[in-house]
Amino acid sequence: MTTSQQPQETSTGAPDDYRLLLPEGWYRIPLEPERCVRSVDVLVERQFKGVDDAPHLKKRVRDELLDQADKAIQNGGIEMYLSLIQVGPVPASASLIVTFIGSGPPATDLESVAADIQHSGAAGTEAAVVELPCGPAVRARSRAEIGRDESSGEVLSSTAVDYYLPIPHSQAFLLLSFSTPLEAIAEAMVGLFDAVAASFTWQGAFA
């Protein structure tokens, strides 16, 4: 999916596409209604291949994925990636949602953007301007409670890393939203998220 397929709020000279590299084992779900449903169905069939006695679980997983995708679409999501990597017997659960933000603060005022994100984010949110190979961006890291373990009562949390990338020659942003619910390997996953963000490049004509 390209940024040019989003609302035309970018100016002439803005890039019309992008590229980023993800590790093998990540599954892409395009956030267009029909293609999204087909992609989710393929993923669910793949994950439940050979499992014939869990129709309710299969339906729940499908519904949860479609609900997550629908929320992303409503927020301007372009595409979603899910990690299917296994670390031994444990799934290395993580996701990435790429979102087009059609209007925002001036791209040259990233320090103010970072300050606003840190002020309005959840407690403990850290935001700062960073330099990526594709240019300056705002990186925000946060942690949020997502529930409790039914057996132990332990609080379960997720770690999120967001990259706000100003689109050259425009007032728009591209947002890379990474998250993982695995606190035990959160630092390693954050390192992976940062590496993926560092692989991002703009495509198309701009100077």
Side-chain angles (χ1 to χ4, degrees), residues 19-23 96 130-135 137-139 161-165 175-178 189-202:
R19 178 179 298 174
L20 73 167
L21 303 177
L22 287 107
L96 162 62
V130 296
E131 192 68 35
L132 296 178
C134 67
V138 175
R139 177 187 184 273
V161 178
D162 297 322
Y163 277 90
Y164 295 79
L165 310 176
L175 170 61
L176 308 182
S177 299
F178 299 90
M189 296 304 290
V190 167
L192 174 61
F193 299 160
D194 289 338
V196 172
S199 77
F200 185 97
T201 56
W202 294 111

Side-chain angles (χ1 to χ4, degrees), residues 122-126 141-146 155-160 183 186:
T125 297
E126 299 176 352
R141 177 172 175 173
S142 60
R143 188 167 176 267
E145 182 178 327
I146 57 175
V155 174
L156 302 176
S157 300
S158 67
T159 297
E183 285 299 291

Side-chain angles (χ1 to χ4, degrees), residues 15-26:
D16 57 13
D17 205 348
Y18 60 85
R19 178 179 298 174
L20 73 167
L21 303 177
L22 287 107
E24 186 177 352
W26 284 65

